[in-house]
Amino acid sequence: MADNGNNGNTPTTSTSSIPQTAAAGGLTITKPPQTATSYYKIAASNTVTFAWNFTDVLVTPTSLTVHAYGENGNTYPVGGTDGVIPGTATEVAWDLWSYQQAHPDLPLAPGKYVLHIWDDRGPGAARAAGMLQENSALQFALYTPLPYTPLESWTCASCNGAWSDYATHPAAVSLTVTVLVMFLSGYSLIRQAMR
């Protein structure tokens, strides 16, 4: 019996039956819609679901890894299993609040993210006929809601002192001078006409 190099522990998958002309497999994100950037609140009881369909995948991956790459340079595992899910999964749910509570050393930051999904060959694996190609097409954003502020203690940062901003603006000064000159000229003309 020939040794296939796996010592009998894991089955090997043969790709010899896949034609070389076959397209590389991919996935199409179905949730959230990719027509616009989706915004998700980092708050209790807020679960985000990402869903997809496979296309042209002829070799089912053993597992999928789902990570969110933040614009802050950090990488976050998506889902409750450190980002690794079964290869046949077509969605993953991510409880943002639970993640925040469980990872105080690497909290989610408000900002934009890119979702990356790859198979068990790892990120950046070469394109291969019938095998899943890494997907990084989905962009989304996270935000943290501001705490409630009672109306009595609320102040408008751009409203306080707004009159002084207008009064010293060059356009306001020139408009005031123009109106004053018009009024005085008109008064002078009417006074001369009444003599």
Side-chain angles (χ1 to χ4, degrees):
M1 183 164 145
D3 183 14
N4 62 5
N6 65 2
N7 298 328
N9 294 335
T10 56
T12 58
T13 304
S14 172
T15 57
S16 61
S17 62
I18 300 172
Q20 291 301 315
T21 57
L27 55 87
T28 304
I29 302 293
T30 58
K31 186 176 183 181
Q34 294 187 51
T35 54
T37 301
S38 297
Y39 291 85
Y40 299 105
K41 179 171 44 172
I42 303 171
S45 303
N46 192 22
T47 301
V48 178
T49 300
F50 299 108
W52 54 85
N53 290 328
F54 292 104
T55 56
D56 299 322
V57 175
L58 302 177
V59 178
T60 304
T62 305
S63 64
L64 297 174
T65 303
V66 185
H67 281 185
Y69 288 53
E71 66 183 355
N72 61 0
N74 292 333
T75 302
Y76 304 90
V78 175
T81 57
D82 281 337
V84 180
I85 57 176
T88 56
T90 56
E91 71 176 32
V92 63
W94 192 18
D95 186 341
L96 302 173
W97 185 254
S98 294
Y99 180 88
Q100 282 292 79
Q101 302 306 310
H103 299 89
D105 54 327
L106 187 63
L108 294 166
K112 292 184 181 177
Y113 290 81
V114 177
L115 189 72
H116 287 255
I117 304 172
W118 61 82
D119 63 8
D120 41 355
R121 295 178 301 142
R127 180 180 293 265
M131 300 187 83
L132 181 67
Q133 181 68 29
E134 180 179 356
N135 183 294
S136 59
L138 179 65
Q139 294 186 6
F140 63 96
L142 301 178
Y143 70 94
T144 305
L146 296 175
Y148 174 76
T149 303
L151 190 56
E152 308 81 55
S153 60
W154 181 77
T155 56
C156 177
S158 61
C159 300
N160 293 344
W163 174 250
S164 64
D165 290 342
Y166 288 123
T168 59
H169 193 277
V173 172
S174 62
L175 182 62
T176 304
V177 169
T178 302
V179 169
L180 182 63
V181 168
M182 287 174 40
F183 176 74
L184 293 175
S185 297
Y187 178 74
S188 177
L189 286 174
I190 292 173
R191 209 173 107 188
Q192 286 178 4
M194 293 184 73
R195 280 193 190 173

